[in-house]
Every structure is written in structure tokens, then in C-alpha cells.
Amino acid sequence: MIEVTAESKYMDLLNEFPLLKTDLVKKNHKFRFLVTPMGKISLWEANLEEVSEHVEMSVDETVLLFSELISSY
């Protein structure tokens, strides 16, 4: 199993787990922008700490959300 941390790269996780794109939006509508082509370009090198700022969640909440979704696959 992959370890998800605040330093995990957002696009690496999306590429490895394509279902994250839709599941993140289902869990929090603020992820909608992040899965658009413009969002992907603007956050190409972002880690989860940076993503958490965009979706207005704490880093811990963001890491937990990603971890829970990934472990469900």
C-alpha cells in the first residue's frame, strides 16, 4: 500500500489512482476545479499540503481523505 503524506505529489496520486478524480469531487465539491484541465496544469507539481490550501481543508484532513480513498481501491 502506498503511504500518503503531506509531501505526496497530487498528480502522481491521480495518475496512479484514476478513480480519485471523481471520488474526490463526490467527497468535497471544492475538488471540482482541481480535476479540470486548468486545475491539473496549475497544480502539476503540487503536493497535498498545497492542494489542501486550494480546497480549504487542513493538511491532515486532506491526507486522511486521500488515504481513505486509496485504501478503498
Side-chain angles (χ1 to χ4, degrees), residues 9-69:
K9 295 293 186 180
Y10 175 66
M11 287 306 298
D12 290 347
L13 295 174
L14 285 185
N15 288 332
E16 191 164 341
F17 303 98
L19 290 176
L20 279 174
K21 293 172 189 170
T22 55
D23 291 343
L24 287 169
V25 175
K26 289 178 188 175
K27 296 286 185 177
N28 183 335
H29 72 280
K30 293 179 182 178
F31 280 99
R32 185 168 283 126
F33 168 74
L34 301 180
V35 296
T36 64
M38 187 59 156
K40 288 185 211 173
I41 290 169
S42 64
L43 292 172
W44 185 256
E45 291 294 320
N47 59 31
L48 292 188
E49 183 175 358
E50 295 163 310
V51 168
S52 68
E53 294 172 15
H54 286 278
V55 296
E56 299 172 2
M57 293 172 62
S58 73
V59 176
D60 291 338
E61 289 174 317
T62 304
V63 170
L64 181 62
L65 176 60
F66 274 77
S67 295
E68 288 174 346
L69 287 173

